[in-house]
Amino acid sequence: MSSMTSYKMGDGSSILSEKVARALEVRTDTPAMKAALDALGHLESMDSRSVRVAIEQNALEQALLLQDELKKIVNFVSTLREGVSESAQLAHLINKAIHTSVVSSQVSLPPSIGPSSVLPSSDSVGNMPDSLPLSGNDALEKEQQLAALLSDAFVARKTSHQRAETVSAFLDKFNLSEEDSKLLDQYNFEDVSLESSGEVPAESMGMRFLDALERVKSIRSELSTAFGSTSVSEMLGGNDDHRLGASSAIRMMESLAMQQERAYERLYHWLQKYLHLNSVSHVPTSSSSTAVPPPSASDLDADALDEALSHFFVRRSLKVLCNVPAFYSHTIEMIASSRRAEETRRFLLALTAGYNGRFPIELKAHDPVNYVGDMLAFCFQSCSVESDVARGLVVIDDDVGQAGIEDSKNESAGNTDFEAAMSASDMLSHAMSGLARPLKSRILQVVASLARRPDEDDEDGGGAVDDEDEEAVAQSRASALYAVCGLMLFYRLAVEKSIRKLDKNMNFSSESMDESLASMSRKATDNPLLVAIDECITEACQAYVASIKVYGAMLESLSLIGGKTEAMLVQGMMERIIKIRTTSPGFAADVPCPNEDWNKGLSLELFAETLLDSALVLCKTLDDSVTLKLCLTNAKKGGLSTSVASGLDARISQVEQALIVDLVSTETKEVMEICGLGPVMTALRNMPPVEGMVMATQPGLAPEDLDSAMKEFYASLYSPPLPSFESTVKDPVLRKLARQTIANSVIDQYEELYIAIKSDKGGYSDVSFLGHTPEHVKTLFSA
């Protein structure tokens, strides 16, 4: 017995030694342990040494508790063995008793001795002879005792079977298989092949390793749920069965935690090594030649990295790694930094030396519209690719992965140094932040160049501009600014769609997508690329509005320099803007404008009002008014609102009427002079208003003067000397209206003269020189 006790004590000492050795082998250089030690080191009431001493004391107490529990288990098993031995002895005794009873029944016994008297007593059953006869009462009593012992034996046997089944079910549910345990401890990813981006077979070692990691996570979660309702002290202070289950769960959780931590750390380091997250790629800033170079090794590595990030095993590994927030967050941040450096390198390479077999974008710097369009197209393509990469790496589509992230956050809630992992939008923003600055600087440089006036170029020594070309330069720069604004609006929407793809609530399969984008476009965004494009649109819109206003103010000087009228200059500018408006994708009806200032500055209403207001002030001929009306008609076709068009049309009509009045007044005087009635009407209007004075006594109104003037006028009625306006008024409608108005004015003046001669104010005794009445004259003029 003493040897058995020493064996048990030795076994407990070895378990304690293993526990202490395992505690001493715990690594303190892991991120989680460092974070815990740093948090404990910042406590004001305890220093690091006290904390370590407390931890060691706690570990020692737990080891002693474990030793006590193991001793109790050994005692319990020993007791159980004794009970099983006693049950076996009782069964042997029952067998003998039955055999004795059968033998006795075949022999004639005295009446005082019954069959049950052969049962031995419990005290001397081992020493009594097999055929010792007993009295009847003693046999019955012994039989009852044996029956009771047999019942207890069967109850103990049933309890043992139940415990065995419980332990087996517990191990099946909460224990890892030997193969999974070996994978977690020894797997080194040597059989993972990333040559193809297809789905990895489920039976591969890599997928089984990830499955085992998820199995460990599930087991730990179920153990925490099953034994997390009570504290450790309560579990260890209950009955034997409960204490046995609690201590077993604690040991299993500790073992699984160590395996899980080592496996996660190997997966974390493997991802860093394979994806080359610790390497820094060279980012070129200039190019010594404009020739297109062959693809370099870095380009090929970048393409391979894109394929690796989209590989199923890598994405699954990141999804599994999200159960460890520190590793997952750091890996995602390193991937985002790597993507940022790579996208910046590609953009600068595309600008200066060409990328993917294309010519350098800066070769088109002389063409502002194509230059800006190529840069925006490259940035949009990069943003779309990065959006897909971020969606595949970060976004969790299933409830299981999301639940794992939430559990990890809850476990790390007590750690103040824990930072949430980057979301897909954060990763995309970080990756595209490298493109924002070079794109913005180059677009603003283009805008500033287009916003300069030609005379400013002369002052800076940029080369003199011919006076005849100043009009074309002003129109081309303003129209180029407008085209650049349209391109930026279009690519802004395209980039925003790529960003919004990361929003799981966005519906891209119905008409509500446009409404959702229109509402989201008005919300502030923190994506650096989108912010840079917005700032460039603001600057370009302001420069365009200023250029239009300057062009309107320079209409008179440009007309003097180029020889064209102000209306023709407005017409040329409007044709350019309307053509861009109808052909540019940025001004299409399905492209929303999220900013009211942009919408107002780039609208045709502001453009038409600015130029037409300036041109109406300088409108001098009816041809100019006709040209302005043609401009207004073209603006309506381009999308000018009806209300603004009606107002401008009314103002043009007012100016047109004023021009017609001036033209008719001038031409009527000339026609009256040609017809001979000019001097007579001048003398009549110069006649002083004196009472009793008659026309016949006034100079120029004598009968002979009137007779000569009337003969000349009547002679011109058969061929009225009305101007044709062929060279001055090109519109036939206005030309006819002007001639008719002049004719009516001549008829009205003749009627005025006719009435004055016939009245008492005339004083003529003979009015035979009046050969036609005003009605006759009107008929002849109309003919």
Side-chain angles (χ1 to χ4, degrees):
M1 185 67 184
S2 60
S3 61
M4 179 64 69
T5 305
S6 62
Y7 170 77
K8 295 177 181 177
M9 293 298 295
D11 191 11
S13 300
S14 62
I15 294 176
L16 178 61
S17 300
E18 292 178 0
K19 187 69 176 181
V20 173
R22 192 166 56 216
L24 293 177
E25 290 176 358
V26 174
R27 297 182 58 183
T28 59
D29 57 345
T30 60
M33 183 62 72
K34 286 183 178 179
L37 293 177
D38 291 339
L40 293 174
H42 287 84
L43 294 177
E44 298 178 358
S45 60
M46 300 178 66
D47 54 2
S48 300
R49 182 179 181 83
S50 300
V51 172
R52 293 182 182 274
V53 171
I55 292 174
E56 292 176 356
Q57 290 178 354
N58 187 21
L60 182 59
E61 292 176 359
Q62 295 295 330
L64 293 175
L65 290 175
L66 179 62
Q67 183 179 4
D68 294 339
E69 291 299 323
L70 291 175
K71 289 181 179 179
K72 293 178 181 180
I73 291 174
V74 171
N75 294 332
F76 179 77
V77 172
S78 300
T79 304
L80 185 61
R81 291 181 61 186
E82 293 177 357
V84 172
S85 299
E86 292 178 355
S87 299
Q89 292 178 2
L90 287 174
H92 180 68
L93 292 175
I94 291 171
N95 185 22
K96 287 183 177 181
I98 294 173
H99 179 72
T100 304
S101 178
V102 172
V103 173
S104 300
S105 61
Q106 296 176 358
V107 181
S108 58
L109 297 175
S112 60
I113 300 176
S116 60
S117 62
V118 299
L119 291 175
S121 64
S122 59
D123 296 332
S124 59
V125 67
N127 300 321
M128 63 182 296
D130 295 339
S131 60
L132 180 65
L134 297 176
S135 63
N137 294 332
D138 293 339
L140 179 60
E141 182 180 356
K142 296 302 180 181
E143 185 178 356
Q144 291 176 351
Q145 292 178 359
L146 287 174
L149 290 175
L150 185 61
S151 177
D152 293 340
F154 278 110
V155 170
R157 178 185 178 186
K158 183 178 180 181
T159 303
S160 300
H161 279 295
Q162 291 177 351
R163 289 184 178 180
E165 291 176 357
T166 302
V167 171
S168 177
F170 179 84
L171 292 177
D172 291 341
K173 183 177 181 181
F174 296 111
N175 194 23
L176 281 177
S177 64
E178 183 178 356
E179 183 180 1
D180 290 344
S181 179
K182 183 177 180 181
L183 280 175
L184 293 178
D185 291 335
Q186 302 177 3
Y187 181 65
N188 56 2
F189 308 95
E190 60 184 2
D191 63 329
V192 177
S193 175
L194 299 179
E195 296 179 356
S196 61
S197 59
E199 186 172 349
V200 179
E203 63 274 7
S204 63
M205 297 292 290
M207 297 304 294
R208 283 190 290 174
F209 170 77
L210 298 180
D211 292 338
L213 268 179
E214 291 184 346
R215 170 68 175 160
V216 170
K217 175 65 179 177
S218 176
I219 290 175
R220 291 192 62 190
S221 177
E222 291 178 359
L223 283 173
S224 300
T225 303
F227 298 94
S229 59
T230 57
S231 62
V232 176
S233 60
E234 292 177 352
M235 289 190 296
L236 296 178
N239 54 34
D240 293 340
D241 296 340
H242 190 71
R243 292 169 63 186
L244 176 62
S247 60
S248 300
I250 293 174
R251 289 196 301 274
M252 290 183 65
M253 289 181 66
E254 291 177 352
S255 176
L256 291 175
M258 294 180 62
Q259 280 186 316
Q260 186 183 34
E261 183 178 355
R262 290 193 298 267
Y264 276 132
E265 188 172 358
R266 289 205 315 277
L267 180 62
Y268 165 70
H269 289 299
W270 177 82
L271 285 173
Q272 284 188 349
K273 179 180 178 181
Y274 183 81
L275 298 178
H276 304 284
L277 299 181
N278 295 322
S279 61
V280 179
S281 59
H282 174 65
V283 180
T285 57
S286 64
S287 176
S288 58
S289 63
T290 58
V292 179
S296 60
S298 60
D299 294 341
L300 298 178
D301 293 340
D303 296 336
L305 178 60
D306 292 344
E307 295 179 0
L309 289 175
S310 61
H311 196 275
F312 180 80
F313 183 79
V314 174
R315 294 169 62 179
R316 173 79 187 280
S317 300
L318 287 172
K319 180 180 175 181
V320 172
L321 196 63
C322 70
N323 295 320
V324 185
F327 289 163
Y328 177 74
S329 178
H330 189 227
T331 303
I332 291 296
E333 289 176 0
M334 294 182 69
I335 291 176
S337 300
S338 175
R339 300 303 301 173
R340 180 184 184 275
E342 179 59 26
E343 290 299 339
T344 306
R345 185 191 69 85
R346 291 180 182 180
F347 181 60
L348 295 179
L349 191 64
L351 286 173
T352 56
Y355 179 76
N356 200 15
R358 300 174 184 173
F359 288 95
I361 298 177
E362 290 187 348
L363 288 179
K364 299 181 180 179
H366 63 282
D367 186 357
V369 179
N370 288 333
Y371 179 52
V372 173
D374 288 349
M375 288 192 295
L376 291 173
F378 188 90
C379 292
F380 161 67
Q381 184 179 6
S382 301
C383 183
S384 179
V385 172
E386 291 302 320
S387 177
D388 294 336
V389 171
R391 183 178 178 85
L393 294 179
V394 180
V395 174
I396 305 299
D397 294 329
D398 56 342
D399 298 334
V400 177
Q402 190 65 32
I405 291 180
E406 295 298 331
D407 293 342
S408 301
K409 290 182 179 179
N410 295 333
E411 293 176 2
S412 304
N415 186 5
T416 56
D417 296 333
F418 172 74
E419 296 182 359
M422 296 177 68
S423 63
S425 300
D426 295 337
M427 184 177 179
L428 179 61
S429 299
H430 188 75
M432 301 308 297
S433 60
L435 276 67
R437 184 174 180 180
L439 176 68
K440 178 182 175 182
S441 63
R442 283 164 174 79
I443 292 181
L444 291 182
Q445 184 178 3
V446 171
V447 171
S449 176
L450 294 176
R452 294 166 64 90
R453 290 174 11 189
D455 53 357
E456 294 179 353
D457 294 337
D458 297 343
E459 294 176 359
D460 295 341
V465 178
D466 296 339
D467 293 338
E468 297 179 356
D469 296 336
E470 188 171 354
E471 168 207 345
V473 170
Q475 291 182 359
S476 63
R477 290 185 175 182
S479 60
L481 279 173
Y482 196 70
V484 167
C485 291
L487 286 174
M488 287 192 289
L489 285 175
F490 172 74
Y491 280 107
R492 184 194 183 279
L493 178 63
V495 170
E496 189 174 22
K497 285 184 178 180
S498 298
I499 297 172
R500 300 303 179 189
K501 284 194 301 184
L502 303 179
D503 188 0
K504 297 170 62 176
N505 298 324
M506 176 65 67
N507 184 10
F508 289 92
S509 60
S510 63
E511 297 179 355
S512 61
M513 181 189 67
D514 295 334
E515 299 178 359
S516 301
L517 283 174
S519 61
M520 289 184 177
S521 296
R522 294 177 174 85
K523 299 179 181 179
T525 180
D526 55 354
N527 189 277
L529 181 60
L530 204 59
V531 171
I533 295 177
D534 289 347
E535 293 176 356
C536 292
I537 293 176
T538 301
E539 293 292 332
C541 182
Q542 293 176 357
Y544 164 74
V545 173
S547 299
I548 294 300
K549 292 181 178 179
V550 170
Y551 185 80
M554 294 177 60
L555 285 177
E556 188 173 6
S557 60
L558 292 176
S559 177
L560 295 175
I561 293 173
K564 295 182 180 179
T565 63
E566 292 82 358
M568 295 175 65
L569 294 175
V570 171
Q571 184 182 22
M573 176 65 81
M574 188 164 289
E575 288 177 353
R576 286 174 177 259
I577 297 300
I578 292 176
K579 182 179 179 181
I580 295 173
R581 180 87 182 185
T582 55
T583 58
S584 177
F587 298 110
D590 57 346
V591 179
C593 189
N595 190 294
E596 294 297 332
D597 293 336
W598 303 348
N599 194 16
K600 181 180 179 181
L602 299 176
S603 63
L604 283 179
E605 287 75 16
L606 178 64
F607 170 74
E609 288 178 349
T610 301
L611 290 188
L612 290 179
D613 286 345
S614 302
L616 286 175
V617 177
L618 303 173
C619 187
K620 300 175 183 178
T621 63
L622 290 174
D623 286 341
D624 291 344
S625 65
V626 173
T627 303
L628 293 180
K629 283 194 172 183
L630 290 176
C631 293
L632 189 59
T633 303
N634 293 333
K636 289 180 182 178
K637 296 179 181 178
L640 183 65
S641 62
T642 306
S643 58
V644 175
S646 300
L648 292 174
D649 188 39
R651 295 174 60 184
I652 294 174
S653 298
Q654 291 178 0
V655 173
E656 188 177 59
Q657 292 298 327
L659 291 174
I660 290 175
V661 171
D662 294 340
L663 180 62
V664 167
S665 176
T666 302
E667 295 296 333
T668 300
K669 290 180 181 180
E670 295 181 1
V671 171
M672 293 294 289
E673 292 292 336
I674 295 173
C675 293
L677 294 182
V680 176
M681 292 301 299
T682 301
L684 178 61
R685 290 195 169 89
N686 292 334
M687 179 179 174
V690 179
E691 186 178 356
M693 182 178 294
V694 295
M695 294 171 54
T697 61
Q698 294 299 316
L701 296 176
E704 56 275 11
D705 295 331
L706 288 176
D707 183 62
S708 175
M710 289 301 172
K711 289 180 179 180
E712 187 177 358
F713 176 69
Y714 293 149
S716 66
L717 290 178
Y718 299 98
S719 180
L722 297 176
S724 62
F725 298 114
E726 293 289 342
S727 59
T728 56
V729 181
K730 297 180 181 180
D731 187 8
V733 177
L734 288 179
R735 189 162 56 240
K736 182 178 179 180
L737 178 61
R739 287 168 57 88
Q740 186 64 38
T741 305
I742 293 172
N744 293 335
S745 179
V746 172
I747 293 171
D748 292 341
Q749 292 188 31
Y750 175 76
E751 184 177 3
E752 180 184 359
L753 180 61
Y754 185 87
I755 293 172
I757 292 174
K758 287 284 189 177
S759 65
D760 296 338
K761 184 181 179 180
Y764 297 100
S765 59
D766 184 11
V767 291
S768 59
F769 52 82
L770 295 175
H772 297 286
T773 61
E775 289 76 12
H776 295 163
V777 172
K778 184 177 182 180
T779 302
L780 292 173
F781 254 90
S782 300

